[in-house]
Amino acid sequence: MLRSLVGSEMCIRDSGENEENPSAAAAEGEESTAWVQEGDQVVHLGSVVTVQYVNRKGDLDLRLPDGSSVYGVASSSVEQVKGTPSPVKFAASGTPSPEPVVKEYKKTAREKKEEALQHLDTGDIKQAAVCVDEALRALSMLPNRLSDSCRTLVCYRLMTKILAVLQGQKSLTARALYSCFLANLPALEAKHKKLVLRTALRLHMQASFFSVAERFAVTLLEGTEVDTEEHTKLAANLEQCRSSQDASIPQVNCRQCGTATSPFLPSCVGCEAEPLLCWEQLKLIGTQQYFHCDFCIAVFGSEPVRQSQVCPACHTGYIQQR
C-alpha cells in the first residue's frame, strides 16, 4: 500500500540494465529503430501517423492525422503498417477529422492514469511513473491539450520522482525538505494529499523542525477528514510542535532578493518569492533566472534544459526562460 511505502520512504530505482555498457544501449536503440525512417507511416495508439524525425536514441517525432505533431515518442510504442490501413474519416474541407484520434488518445490517457494510481496505491512507484508518462504523452496529442488533466498528471509525475529518491537520501533534513515539496503539490487526489501531508509532518517532527511540522498538523486537522483516533493523535502532535524548541533550520539565500531565508517556508521572508525545486535534478533553484514550462507548472534550473525545448514533464508545453 502507498501508506506503507510513504511511511518507510521506500525507493524503487531504475534497473539500468545497460548502464555499465553504453555502447550496448546505443546498439539496442539503433536495432529497435532500424525499420523506421523519416517519412514512413507507422501505427501509434491505433492511428496511422507519419515519422518526421528519428533521433540518436531512437525516439520519434510524429505528425498526426490532424496535422499536429508529437515529439519524443518511444519507438517501441509504434508498429509497422500491416496491409491497408483503415480508412481515415475526412471532414468536409478534405482534411482528416481528428475525432477518432481524439477519442483514442483520451481513452489511453484515462486508462493509463487509472493504472498509474493503482500502481501507486500498491507501492509500485516505478511502474506508476511509466504509466503517468504514457498518459501525459497521450494527452499531448490532443488538439485542446486538456490542461487540467495534464497538470494533475504532472503533479503525480513529480510525486513519483520524489518518492523514488527519498530512501536514497541519508540526510533527515533532505528528506524533510523533499516532503515539503510533496505536501505542497496541488491537484493530488484527497487520499494521496493526506498521505504526503502525514509524511511531511512525521519527517519534520523527527528532524525537530517543529514550527514547520505545525503547519502540516494544522492542515491535516482543518483541511482533511480524519476519524476520532487520528484527530486525537494529530492534536497531540500539534501540541508537541507548539511546545517544543526548533532545531536549527537550514537557511539559503533567496533566489530573488538574496535574503537569508528557509526553503522550508512557503515563501521568502524578504520578498515572498516561493522556493522552487528543479523538476529535472530535484534540487533547489538558487538563481533569479530559471526555466519554466509555458503550459504546465514544471520549473527547471538553467543547465538541464534549453529554451524552446519541449517540456520533459508534460510533453506539451515549451521551455521558456523567466
Side-chain angles (χ1 to χ4, degrees):
M1 296 297 290
L2 179 61
R3 182 189 303 272
S4 61
L5 173 67
V6 176
S8 61
E9 300 162 18
M10 180 186 299
C11 173
I12 300 179
R13 296 187 175 86
D14 293 332
S15 58
E17 295 176 354
N18 289 320
E19 190 174 69
E20 298 181 359
N21 191 348
S23 60
E28 180 181 344
E30 291 175 2
E31 180 180 354
S32 65
T33 57
W35 60 273
V36 183
Q37 297 180 9
E38 294 177 20
D40 284 353
Q41 286 193 316
V42 296
V43 178
H44 181 57
L45 296 177
S47 300
V48 177
V49 298
T50 302
V51 178
Q52 292 182 292
Y53 178 72
V54 183
N55 68 18
R56 294 177 63 184
K57 295 181 180 180
D59 294 333
L60 313 175
D61 293 350
L62 306 175
R63 180 169 293 279
L64 308 183
D66 65 347
S68 61
S69 299
V70 62
Y71 307 95
V73 176
S75 59
S76 59
S77 67
V78 303
E79 298 175 354
Q80 288 177 290
V81 177
K82 298 180 180 179
T84 303
S86 301
V88 178
K89 179 181 176 182
F90 282 82
S93 64
T95 57
S97 171
E99 283 83 1
V101 178
V102 168
K103 289 181 179 179
E104 187 65 31
Y105 288 145
K106 283 184 177 180
K107 178 183 177 182
T108 299
R110 182 176 61 254
E111 291 176 348
K112 290 300 179 181
K113 178 184 176 182
E114 292 173 355
E115 289 180 27
L117 296 182
Q118 290 172 2
H119 288 304
L120 193 61
D121 288 339
T122 57
D124 191 348
I125 299 301
K126 181 179 179 181
Q127 194 57 42
V130 171
C131 290
V132 166
D133 187 69
E134 291 177 353
L136 283 166
R137 289 184 183 277
L139 284 179
S140 73
M141 300 180 189
L142 297 176
N144 61 7
R145 307 306 192 194
L146 293 180
S147 58
D148 290 341
S149 298
C150 177
R151 291 186 181 100
T152 297
L153 284 165
V154 165
C155 287
Y156 276 98
R157 184 188 184 100
L158 181 59
M159 179 183 179
T160 57
K161 290 188 71 171
I162 292 178
L163 287 175
V165 301
L166 275 177
Q167 182 62 36
Q169 291 292 333
K170 297 181 180 180
S171 167
L172 182 57
T173 298
R175 294 200 297 272
L177 182 58
Y178 276 132
S179 74
C180 261
F181 286 99
L182 271 180
N184 291 333
L185 281 175
L188 298 181
E189 290 191 357
K191 62 179 179 180
H192 299 139
K193 186 68 173 181
K194 184 185 293 187
L195 286 172
V196 296
L197 283 168
R198 287 173 180 166
T199 299
L201 172 61
R202 176 176 54 81
L203 288 175
H204 283 80
M205 292 190 71
Q206 289 178 359
S208 296
F209 299 158
F210 295 107
S211 60
V212 184
E214 178 183 347
R215 186 171 78 244
F216 300 122
V218 169
T219 302
L220 283 165
L221 281 168
E222 297 180 352
T224 61
E225 296 183 3
V226 293
D227 55 32
T228 303
E229 181 180 354
E230 185 177 5
H231 187 280
T232 301
K233 182 177 180 180
L234 287 171
N237 290 150
L238 180 58
E239 179 60 29
Q240 181 181 351
C241 291
R242 288 174 172 173
S243 61
S244 301
Q245 184 71 30
D246 268 339
S248 178
I249 299 179
Q251 292 191 329
V252 296
N253 292 330
C254 172
R255 59 179 175 80
Q256 190 72 30
C257 68
T259 301
T261 187
S262 170
F264 294 85
L265 297 177
S267 60
C268 170
V269 295
C271 68
E272 298 187 351
E274 63 177 320
L276 297 177
L277 184 72
C278 173
W279 286 41
E280 190 75 15
Q281 299 178 329
L282 295 185
K283 295 180 179 180
L284 283 172
I285 295 177
T287 57
Q288 187 172 358
Q289 291 186 335
Y290 61 94
F291 288 87
H292 71 102
C293 175
D294 65 1
F295 182 74
C296 73
I297 62 174
V299 294
F300 306 90
S302 58
E303 293 183 358
V305 294
R306 293 181 179 178
Q307 195 168 359
S308 298
Q309 177 180 333
V310 175
C311 174
C314 67
H315 306 298
T316 297
Y318 287 86
I319 301 303
Q320 297 182 354
Q321 191 170 10
R322 176 173 290 176

